[in-house]
Amino acid sequence: MEHSGYSHEVQPGRTSQFLRAYREFLRRPGGRLALTASECPSCPGCRYDDVAVVRDALEHITGELPAPVRTELRRLLEGLDAEFRRRTLHDPDPSHWVDRSGSPYPWWHRRRYVGR
Ligand SMILES: [Zn+2]
């Protein structure tokens, strides 16, 4: 019961899974990296094929964690985010910066994707 109140995404196993997925994206060889959109973004099995959605989950988790652990995860993410910023390119098309309702996406979605 110690995790009651946490969403399923905040379980320790999920957190390390998402961190691993983020690190694996950054570990790819080559210089610049382009994001890959998920083939079926609404499906729980496939949505995390998009590393920006993985980063969404990590952001969500960070917000739910108790303060000391939150600080630790924040610090971890700062390092990974710096690498992500360094290796991906800004998407210059403003129509990609907002969702269907016009709400702006977080910065990690506003990067270049494969094929767009
Ligand atoms: Zn699917």
Side-chain angles (χ1 to χ4, degrees):
M1 292 299 284
E2 59 179 326
H3 290 297
S4 62
Y6 286 21
S7 85
H8 68 283
E9 286 186 335
V10 188
Q11 290 166 22
R14 291 297 270 166
T15 309
S16 58
Q17 240 178 10
F18 290 132
L19 276 173
R20 190 168 58 238
Y22 196 21
R23 285 202 177 97
E24 267 166 20
F25 176 81
L26 295 171
R27 214 176 276 140
R28 289 181 197 175
R32 295 291 176 191
L33 298 170
L35 284 72
T36 309
S38 172
E39 297 285 334
C40 44
S42 53
C43 156
C46 306
R47 55 191 303 209
Y48 298 110
D49 291 350
D50 182 346
V51 74
V53 178
V54 170
R55 185 59 184 82
D56 284 340
L58 286 165
E59 189 67 15
H60 173 79
I61 287 166
T62 305
E64 305 279 301
L65 289 171
V69 199
R70 183 168 63 229
T71 307
E72 197 179 317
L73 185 56
R74 270 268 165 253
R75 205 168 40 227
L76 235 164
L77 285 174
E78 270 170 31
L80 296 170
D81 286 346
E83 176 74 356
F84 183 79
R85 275 202 176 87
R86 198 175 67 76
R87 295 196 59 199
T88 58
L89 290 168
H90 176 67
D91 184 341
D93 183 345
S95 72
H96 295 154
W97 302 350
V98 292
D99 67 17
R100 284 162 186 271
S101 66
S103 312
Y105 282 119
W107 64 266
W108 52 85
H109 280 268
R110 304 197 299 265
R111 313 301 290 177
R112 285 280 184 85
Y113 275 77
V114 170
R116 77 178 199 202

